[in-house]
Amino acid sequence: MKTLKLGIADDHELFRKGFISMLSGIPDFEFVLEAANGQELLDRLPANTPDIVFMDLQMPVMDGVQATEAAFERFPNIKVIVVSMYNEDRFVIHMLEKGVQGYLLKDTSPDEVEKAIRRVDEEGFYYNDFVSKAMHRKMVNRHVNKHPFFPNACNVALSTREKEVLQLICDGLSTQEIGDKLFISVRTVEGHRLRVLEKTGTKSTAAAVSFAYKNQLLS
């Protein structure tokens, strides 16, 4: 069984220890790093690099936004799931635009946390209903601005099926669930996803979703 290496950065020790304890009973999860702020996280990453880091946003010394940017720059393969008390859309969208693979609130159930970890490991992202709604609201607001955010966005033309797949990803469906809903194979879904990445010039599903919403490629 593959062991998933996890890390957490949060300045509240009670929450941090409780979070680790909550997941410690799952056999294939192992916490290899914990930090009280972003700088401490970055200092410890070279010696114990986790597959997935749970990142608080508000921390002393270095906050979660700065730590996320630095972690992605120094460790391109690392994945970040935000765990925060901030439920405003602006925080969610801002962190998705930074490339995080998921965003959870601190009152998220243990079962959903486990689901998020496995989805991020298997598919590279996890968007629950809370995140999907935030993205949809952002998209509605973007319609007042007719200008794309990226110069090459006007040249991006997604097929109807590619838009369908991307929309269902935004809705939080897994690859298998998308295949079942559209009556196509998992391999075909993956093919559409890879073509979306190629057309948008992005390197991850999270980045492609961000690109699509910023540039009104989805309705």
Side-chain angles (χ1 to χ4, degrees):
M1 180 183 296
K2 172 186 176 183
T3 298
L4 287 173
K5 296 184 293 183
L6 308 175
I8 182 170
D10 193 292
D11 60 319
H12 292 94
E13 184 176 5
L14 186 62
F15 176 84
R16 193 172 69 244
K17 297 295 186 182
F19 194 88
I20 293 172
S21 176
M22 176 184 73
L23 298 174
S24 63
I26 301 174
D28 56 331
F29 290 176
E30 178 187 4
F31 271 89
V32 298
L33 185 157
E34 62 172 297
N37 59 67
Q39 186 59 59
E40 192 172 280
L41 172 75
L42 295 177
D43 291 342
R44 295 179 177 181
L45 277 177
N48 296 289
T49 307
D51 301 304
I52 300 171
V53 172
F54 289 94
M55 187 80 73
D56 189 18
L57 293 183
Q58 187 64 42
M59 295 183 287
V61 185
M62 178 184 289
D63 64 32
V65 179
Q66 295 172 305
T68 295
E69 292 175 332
F72 282 153
E73 182 177 349
R74 301 179 194 180
F75 303 90
N77 294 326
I78 205 167
K79 297 178 175 65
V80 173
I81 299 175
V82 172
V83 182
S84 175
M85 63 181 180
Y86 297 120
N87 61 1
E88 294 97 328
D89 288 358
R90 61 192 179 95
F91 289 107
V92 178
I93 298 302
H94 183 62
M95 292 310 294
L96 290 178
E97 290 175 350
K98 293 295 181 183
V100 301
Q101 282 72 29
Y103 193 112
L104 302 175
L105 297 179
K106 286 193 171 181
D107 61 357
T108 298
S109 71
D111 286 344
E112 185 173 359
V113 173
E114 180 181 356
K115 179 181 179 181
I117 293 170
R118 299 197 185 283
R119 185 74 68 81
V120 167
D121 175 59
E122 294 168 3
E123 305 198 23
F125 68 97
Y126 175 70
Y127 301 144
N128 56 14
D129 188 56
F130 162 71
V131 171
S132 296
K133 287 180 178 178
M135 291 192 294
H136 282 298
R137 285 191 290 268
K138 189 69 171 179
M139 183 61 200
V140 170
N141 293 335
R142 288 297 190 207
H143 279 300
V144 301
N145 182 359
K146 301 301 182 181
H147 301 288
F149 277 67
F150 298 97
N152 63 337
C154 294
N155 299 322
V156 175
L158 300 181
S159 69
T160 299
R161 182 63 89 189
E162 288 163 355
K163 288 182 179 179
E164 287 176 337
V165 168
L166 191 55
Q167 184 64 67
L168 291 174
I169 288 173
C170 295
D171 291 341
L173 274 66
S174 68
T175 300
Q176 183 64 62
E177 290 169 338
I178 293 171
D180 293 343
K181 188 175 183 67
L182 298 180
F183 303 103
I184 57 179
S185 69
V186 168
R187 184 175 180 179
T188 300
V189 174
E190 183 64 12
H192 288 308
R193 187 187 70 83
L194 291 175
R195 280 193 291 277
V196 169
L197 297 187
E198 181 180 355
K199 288 183 177 181
T200 57
T202 53
K203 296 182 179 180
S204 69
T205 302
V209 169
S210 176
F211 182 98
Y213 273 109
K214 282 181 176 181
N215 295 285
Q216 303 176 27
L217 298 181
L218 298 175
S219 58

